[in-house]
PDB file of all heavy atoms in Angstrom:
ATOM      1  N   VAL A 288      -6.720   4.352  -5.570  1.00 96.00           N
ATOM      2  CA  VAL A 288      -6.725   3.002  -6.138  1.00 96.00           C
ATOM      3  C   VAL A 288      -6.652   1.968  -5.018  1.00 96.00           C
ATOM      4  O   VAL A 288      -7.371   0.965  -5.030  1.00 96.00           O
ATOM      5  CB  VAL A 288      -5.565   2.810  -7.144  1.00 96.00           C
ATOM      6  CG1 VAL A 288      -5.446   1.351  -7.570  1.00 96.00           C
ATOM      7  CG2 VAL A 288      -5.766   3.701  -8.356  1.00 96.00           C
ATOM      8  N   ALA A 289      -5.815   2.207  -4.026  1.00 95.00           N
ATOM      9  CA  ALA A 289      -5.648   1.259  -2.924  1.00 95.00           C
ATOM     10  C   ALA A 289      -6.947   1.061  -2.148  1.00 95.00           C
ATOM     11  O   ALA A 289      -7.246  -0.052  -1.707  1.00 95.00           O
ATOM     12  CB  ALA A 289      -4.547   1.739  -1.978  1.00 95.00           C
ATOM     13  N   GLU A 290      -7.728   2.122  -1.995  1.00 94.00           N
ATOM     14  CA  GLU A 290      -8.978   2.016  -1.230  1.00 94.00           C
ATOM     15  C   GLU A 290      -9.970   1.060  -1.877  1.00 94.00           C
ATOM     16  O   GLU A 290     -10.654   0.320  -1.181  1.00 94.00           O
ATOM     17  CB  GLU A 290      -9.613   3.396  -1.071  1.00 94.00           C
ATOM     18  CG  GLU A 290      -8.878   4.259  -0.077  1.00 94.00           C
ATOM     19  CD  GLU A 290      -9.429   5.666   0.020  1.00 94.00           C
ATOM     20  OE1 GLU A 290     -10.231   6.087  -0.857  1.00 94.00           O
ATOM     21  OE2 GLU A 290      -9.053   6.364   0.972  1.00 94.00           O
ATOM     22  N   GLY A 291     -10.061   1.080  -3.196  1.00 89.00           N
ATOM     23  CA  GLY A 291     -11.036   0.228  -3.856  1.00 89.00           C
ATOM     24  C   GLY A 291     -10.447  -0.842  -4.740  1.00 89.00           C
ATOM     25  O   GLY A 291     -11.173  -1.647  -5.306  1.00 89.00           O
ATOM     26  N   GLU A 292      -9.122  -0.858  -4.869  1.00 89.00           N
ATOM     27  CA  GLU A 292      -8.416  -1.789  -5.745  1.00 89.00           C
ATOM     28  C   GLU A 292      -9.053  -1.803  -7.139  1.00 89.00           C
ATOM     29  O   GLU A 292      -9.269  -2.852  -7.732  1.00 89.00           O
ATOM     30  CB  GLU A 292      -8.335  -3.182  -5.137  1.00 89.00           C
ATOM     31  CG  GLU A 292      -7.471  -3.212  -3.886  1.00 89.00           C
ATOM     32  CD  GLU A 292      -7.135  -4.607  -3.399  1.00 89.00           C
ATOM     33  OE1 GLU A 292      -7.590  -5.594  -3.994  1.00 89.00           O
ATOM     34  OE2 GLU A 292      -6.386  -4.691  -2.413  1.00 89.00           O
ATOM     35  N   HIS A 293      -9.348  -0.587  -7.641  1.00 92.00           N
ATOM     36  CA  HIS A 293      -9.954  -0.459  -8.966  1.00 92.00           C
ATOM     37  C   HIS A 293      -9.571   0.891  -9.561  1.00 92.00           C
ATOM     38  O   HIS A 293      -9.903   1.933  -8.990  1.00 92.00           O
ATOM     39  CB  HIS A 293     -11.472  -0.578  -8.843  1.00 92.00           C
ATOM     40  CG  HIS A 293     -12.126  -0.999 -10.111  1.00 92.00           C
ATOM     41  ND1 HIS A 293     -12.421  -0.112 -11.116  1.00 92.00           N
ATOM     42  CD2 HIS A 293     -12.542  -2.208 -10.534  1.00 92.00           C
ATOM     43  CE1 HIS A 293     -13.001  -0.768 -12.102  1.00 92.00           C
ATOM     44  NE2 HIS A 293     -13.083  -2.041 -11.777  1.00 92.00           N
ATOM     45  N   ILE A 294      -8.886   0.872 -10.682  1.00 94.00           N
ATOM     46  CA  ILE A 294      -8.386   2.109 -11.280  1.00 94.00           C
ATOM     47  C   ILE A 294      -9.520   2.970 -11.829  1.00 94.00           C
ATOM     48  O   ILE A 294      -9.530   4.185 -11.639  1.00 94.00           O
ATOM     49  CB  ILE A 294      -7.331   1.805 -12.357  1.00 94.00           C
ATOM     50  CG1 ILE A 294      -6.070   1.254 -11.678  1.00 94.00           C
ATOM     51  CG2 ILE A 294      -7.009   3.043 -13.178  1.00 94.00           C
ATOM     52  CD1 ILE A 294      -4.975   0.831 -12.611  1.00 94.00           C
ATOM     53  N   THR A 295     -10.481   2.372 -12.505  1.00 94.00           N
ATOM     54  CA  THR A 295     -11.571   3.150 -13.098  1.00 94.00           C
ATOM     55  C   THR A 295     -12.382   3.874 -12.034  1.00 94.00           C
ATOM     56  O   THR A 295     -12.724   5.052 -12.195  1.00 94.00           O
ATOM     57  CB  THR A 295     -12.478   2.245 -13.955  1.00 94.00           C
ATOM     58  OG1 THR A 295     -11.672   1.603 -14.951  1.00 94.00           O
ATOM     59  CG2 THR A 295     -13.575   3.037 -14.633  1.00 94.00           C
ATOM     60  N   LYS A 296     -12.699   3.193 -10.949  1.00 95.00           N
ATOM     61  CA  LYS A 296     -13.457   3.836  -9.865  1.00 95.00           C
ATOM     62  C   LYS A 296     -12.638   4.937  -9.208  1.00 95.00           C
ATOM     63  O   LYS A 296     -13.166   5.988  -8.856  1.00 95.00           O
ATOM     64  CB  LYS A 296     -13.893   2.797  -8.835  1.00 95.00           C
ATOM     65  CG  LYS A 296     -14.941   1.855  -9.364  1.00 95.00           C
ATOM     66  CD  LYS A 296     -15.313   0.813  -8.331  1.00 95.00           C
ATOM     67  CE  LYS A 296     -16.288  -0.189  -8.931  1.00 95.00           C
ATOM     68  NZ  LYS A 296     -16.612  -1.278  -8.010  1.00 95.00           N
ATOM     69  N   ALA A 297     -11.348   4.698  -9.043  1.00 96.00           N
ATOM     70  CA  ALA A 297     -10.477   5.722  -8.468  1.00 96.00           C
ATOM     71  C   ALA A 297     -10.433   6.942  -9.378  1.00 96.00           C
ATOM     72  O   ALA A 297     -10.509   8.077  -8.914  1.00 96.00           O
ATOM     73  CB  ALA A 297      -9.072   5.166  -8.252  1.00 96.00           C
ATOM     74  N   ALA A 298     -10.321   6.707 -10.679  1.00 97.00           N
ATOM     75  CA  ALA A 298     -10.277   7.806 -11.637  1.00 97.00           C
ATOM     76  C   ALA A 298     -11.554   8.637 -11.561  1.00 97.00           C
ATOM     77  O   ALA A 298     -11.496   9.870 -11.546  1.00 97.00           O
ATOM     78  CB  ALA A 298     -10.081   7.261 -13.048  1.00 97.00           C
ATOM     79  N   ALA A 299     -12.689   7.980 -11.488  1.00 97.00           N
ATOM     80  CA  ALA A 299     -13.963   8.702 -11.397  1.00 97.00           C
ATOM     81  C   ALA A 299     -14.027   9.537 -10.123  1.00 97.00           C
ATOM     82  O   ALA A 299     -14.474  10.686 -10.150  1.00 97.00           O
ATOM     83  CB  ALA A 299     -15.124   7.716 -11.457  1.00 97.00           C
ATOM     84  N   SER A 300     -13.548   8.978  -9.009  1.00 96.00           N
ATOM     85  CA  SER A 300     -13.607   9.716  -7.735  1.00 96.00           C
ATOM     86  C   SER A 300     -12.665  10.915  -7.728  1.00 96.00           C
ATOM     87  O   SER A 300     -12.898  11.884  -7.006  1.00 96.00           O
ATOM     88  CB  SER A 300     -13.289   8.789  -6.557  1.00 96.00           C
ATOM     89  OG  SER A 300     -11.921   8.466  -6.514  1.00 96.00           O
ATOM     90  N   LEU A 301     -11.610  10.850  -8.545  1.00 97.00           N
ATOM     91  CA  LEU A 301     -10.634  11.941  -8.625  1.00 97.00           C
ATOM     92  C   LEU A 301     -10.911  12.899  -9.788  1.00 97.00           C
ATOM     93  O   LEU A 301     -10.187  13.874  -9.970  1.00 97.00           O
ATOM     94  CB  LEU A 301      -9.221  11.366  -8.788  1.00 97.00           C
ATOM     95  CG  LEU A 301      -8.696  10.523  -7.636  1.00 97.00           C
ATOM     96  CD1 LEU A 301      -7.412   9.810  -8.045  1.00 97.00           C
ATOM     97  CD2 LEU A 301      -8.476  11.369  -6.403  1.00 97.00           C
ATOM     98  N   PHE A 302     -11.950  12.595 -10.564  1.00 97.00           N
ATOM     99  CA  PHE A 302     -12.286  13.387 -11.747  1.00 97.00           C
ATOM    100  C   PHE A 302     -11.125  13.416 -12.742  1.00 97.00           C
ATOM    101  O   PHE A 302     -10.796  14.455 -13.313  1.00 97.00           O
ATOM    102  CB  PHE A 302     -12.733  14.807 -11.374  1.00 97.00           C
ATOM    103  CG  PHE A 302     -13.915  14.824 -10.451  1.00 97.00           C
ATOM    104  CD1 PHE A 302     -13.748  15.033  -9.098  1.00 97.00           C
ATOM    105  CD2 PHE A 302     -15.186  14.587 -10.950  1.00 97.00           C
ATOM    106  CE1 PHE A 302     -14.838  15.031  -8.235  1.00 97.00           C
ATOM    107  CE2 PHE A 302     -16.284  14.584 -10.101  1.00 97.00           C
ATOM    108  CZ  PHE A 302     -16.117  14.806  -8.739  1.00 97.00           C
ATOM    109  N   LEU A 303     -10.502  12.238 -12.921  1.00 97.00           N
ATOM    110  CA  LEU A 303      -9.417  12.062 -13.876  1.00 97.00           C
ATOM    111  C   LEU A 303      -9.772  10.931 -14.822  1.00 97.00           C
ATOM    112  O   LEU A 303     -10.704  10.155 -14.558  1.00 97.00           O
ATOM    113  CB  LEU A 303      -8.108  11.708 -13.146  1.00 97.00           C
ATOM    114  CG  LEU A 303      -7.538  12.754 -12.201  1.00 97.00           C
ATOM    115  CD1 LEU A 303      -6.384  12.165 -11.400  1.00 97.00           C
ATOM    116  CD2 LEU A 303      -7.071  13.976 -12.980  1.00 97.00           C
ATOM    117  N   THR A 304      -9.023  10.808 -15.901  1.00 97.00           N
ATOM    118  CA  THR A 304      -9.223   9.668 -16.794  1.00 97.00           C
ATOM    119  C   THR A 304      -8.507   8.453 -16.219  1.00 97.00           C
ATOM    120  O   THR A 304      -7.582   8.576 -15.405  1.00 97.00           O
ATOM    121  CB  THR A 304      -8.675   9.952 -18.197  1.00 97.00           C
ATOM    122  OG1 THR A 304      -7.255  10.103 -18.111  1.00 97.00           O
ATOM    123  CG2 THR A 304      -9.324  11.186 -18.812  1.00 97.00           C
ATOM    124  N   GLN A 305      -8.925   7.295 -16.688  1.00 95.00           N
ATOM    125  CA  GLN A 305      -8.271   6.060 -16.271  1.00 95.00           C
ATOM    126  C   GLN A 305      -6.792   6.081 -16.664  1.00 95.00           C
ATOM    127  O   GLN A 305      -5.929   5.676 -15.892  1.00 95.00           O
ATOM    128  CB  GLN A 305      -8.981   4.872 -16.902  1.00 95.00           C
ATOM    129  CG  GLN A 305      -8.378   3.530 -16.539  1.00 95.00           C
ATOM    130  CD  GLN A 305      -9.120   2.376 -17.196  1.00 95.00           C
ATOM    131  OE1 GLN A 305     -10.189   2.545 -17.756  1.00 95.00           O
ATOM    132  NE2 GLN A 305      -8.531   1.201 -17.127  1.00 95.00           N
ATOM    133  N   GLY A 306      -6.510   6.588 -17.856  1.00 96.00           N
ATOM    134  CA  GLY A 306      -5.128   6.674 -18.326  1.00 96.00           C
ATOM    135  C   GLY A 306      -4.269   7.576 -17.457  1.00 96.00           C
ATOM    136  O   GLY A 306      -3.100   7.272 -17.206  1.00 96.00           O
ATOM    137  N   ALA A 307      -4.851   8.672 -16.994  1.00 97.00           N
ATOM    138  CA  ALA A 307      -4.103   9.598 -16.130  1.00 97.00           C
ATOM    139  C   ALA A 307      -3.742   8.931 -14.811  1.00 97.00           C
ATOM    140  O   ALA A 307      -2.610   9.050 -14.333  1.00 97.00           O
ATOM    141  CB  ALA A 307      -4.910  10.866 -15.880  1.00 97.00           C
ATOM    142  N   VAL A 308      -4.682   8.209 -14.232  1.00 97.00           N
ATOM    143  CA  VAL A 308      -4.414   7.524 -12.959  1.00 97.00           C
ATOM    144  C   VAL A 308      -3.386   6.419 -13.163  1.00 97.00           C
ATOM    145  O   VAL A 308      -2.468   6.263 -12.356  1.00 97.00           O
ATOM    146  CB  VAL A 308      -5.720   6.975 -12.338  1.00 97.00           C
ATOM    147  CG1 VAL A 308      -5.431   6.076 -11.139  1.00 97.00           C
ATOM    148  CG2 VAL A 308      -6.636   8.126 -11.935  1.00 97.00           C
ATOM    149  N   THR A 309      -3.504   5.692 -14.252  1.00 95.00           N
ATOM    150  CA  THR A 309      -2.532   4.634 -14.551  1.00 95.00           C
ATOM    151  C   THR A 309      -1.126   5.217 -14.672  1.00 95.00           C
ATOM    152  O   THR A 309      -0.167   4.664 -14.121  1.00 95.00           O
ATOM    153  CB  THR A 309      -2.929   3.897 -15.849  1.00 95.00           C
ATOM    154  OG1 THR A 309      -4.216   3.300 -15.668  1.00 95.00           O
ATOM    155  CG2 THR A 309      -1.917   2.829 -16.219  1.00 95.00           C
ATOM    156  N   GLN A 310      -0.993   6.347 -15.350  1.00 97.00           N
ATOM    157  CA  GLN A 310       0.309   7.000 -15.489  1.00 97.00           C
ATOM    158  C   GLN A 310       0.826   7.492 -14.138  1.00 97.00           C
ATOM    159  O   GLN A 310       2.025   7.370 -13.842  1.00 97.00           O
ATOM    160  CB  GLN A 310       0.227   8.177 -16.469  1.00 97.00           C
ATOM    161  CG  GLN A 310       0.226   7.766 -17.908  1.00 97.00           C
ATOM    162  CD  GLN A 310       1.547   7.138 -18.342  1.00 97.00           C
ATOM    163  OE1 GLN A 310       2.539   7.123 -17.635  1.00 97.00           O
ATOM    164  NE2 GLN A 310       1.547   6.593 -19.536  1.00 97.00           N
ATOM    165  N   GLN A 311      -0.059   8.063 -13.327  1.00 97.00           N
ATOM    166  CA  GLN A 311       0.343   8.544 -11.999  1.00 97.00           C
ATOM    167  C   GLN A 311       0.920   7.386 -11.185  1.00 97.00           C
ATOM    168  O   GLN A 311       1.965   7.517 -10.550  1.00 97.00           O
ATOM    169  CB  GLN A 311      -0.861   9.147 -11.253  1.00 97.00           C
ATOM    170  CG  GLN A 311      -1.418  10.383 -11.868  1.00 97.00           C
ATOM    171  CD  GLN A 311      -0.680  11.642 -11.474  1.00 97.00           C
ATOM    172  OE1 GLN A 311       0.298  11.620 -10.743  1.00 97.00           O
ATOM    173  NE2 GLN A 311      -1.156  12.756 -11.981  1.00 97.00           N
ATOM    174  N   ILE A 312       0.227   6.252 -11.201  1.00 96.00           N
ATOM    175  CA  ILE A 312       0.679   5.074 -10.437  1.00 96.00           C
ATOM    176  C   ILE A 312       2.012   4.568 -10.992  1.00 96.00           C
ATOM    177  O   ILE A 312       2.936   4.253 -10.235  1.00 96.00           O
ATOM    178  CB  ILE A 312      -0.382   3.953 -10.472  1.00 96.00           C
ATOM    179  CG1 ILE A 312      -1.692   4.415  -9.828  1.00 96.00           C
ATOM    180  CG2 ILE A 312       0.145   2.690  -9.797  1.00 96.00           C
ATOM    181  CD1 ILE A 312      -1.628   4.744  -8.372  1.00 96.00           C
ATOM    182  N   LYS A 313       2.117   4.497 -12.310  1.00 96.00           N
ATOM    183  CA  LYS A 313       3.358   4.017 -12.939  1.00 96.00           C
ATOM    184  C   LYS A 313       4.544   4.889 -12.518  1.00 96.00           C
ATOM    185  O   LYS A 313       5.594   4.373 -12.121  1.00 96.00           O
ATOM    186  CB  LYS A 313       3.197   4.031 -14.456  1.00 96.00           C
ATOM    187  CG  LYS A 313       4.433   3.607 -15.201  1.00 96.00           C
ATOM    188  CD  LYS A 313       4.234   3.718 -16.696  1.00 96.00           C
ATOM    189  CE  LYS A 313       5.558   3.445 -17.394  1.00 96.00           C
ATOM    190  NZ  LYS A 313       5.629   4.025 -18.707  1.00 96.00           N
ATOM    191  N   HIS A 314       4.375   6.206 -12.592  1.00 96.00           N
ATOM    192  CA  HIS A 314       5.464   7.116 -12.218  1.00 96.00           C
ATOM    193  C   HIS A 314       5.765   7.047 -10.718  1.00 96.00           C
ATOM    194  O   HIS A 314       6.933   7.156 -10.315  1.00 96.00           O
ATOM    195  CB  HIS A 314       5.135   8.553 -12.633  1.00 96.00           C
ATOM    196  CG  HIS A 314       5.137   8.736 -14.116  1.00 96.00           C
ATOM    197  ND1 HIS A 314       6.289   8.836 -14.861  1.00 96.00           N
ATOM    198  CD2 HIS A 314       4.126   8.818 -15.003  1.00 96.00           C
ATOM    199  CE1 HIS A 314       5.983   8.974 -16.134  1.00 96.00           C
ATOM    200  NE2 HIS A 314       4.668   8.965 -16.255  1.00 96.00           N
TER     201      HIS A 314
END
């Protein structure tokens, strides 16, 4: 997320859902 300052793009690059990345960051 920090590299692109965009959760959706980060999720796609990690092969995760946007919700999963959001939860990871929150935790």
Side-chain angles (χ1 to χ4, degrees):
V288 171
E290 286 176 347
E292 294 191 358
H293 203 278
I294 291 177
T295 303
K296 291 178 185 176
S300 73
L301 296 169
F302 302 101
L303 296 171
T304 65
Q305 180 180 349
V308 171
T309 299
Q310 282 293 352
Q311 294 277 2
I312 298 296
K313 178 183 173 203
H314 291 283

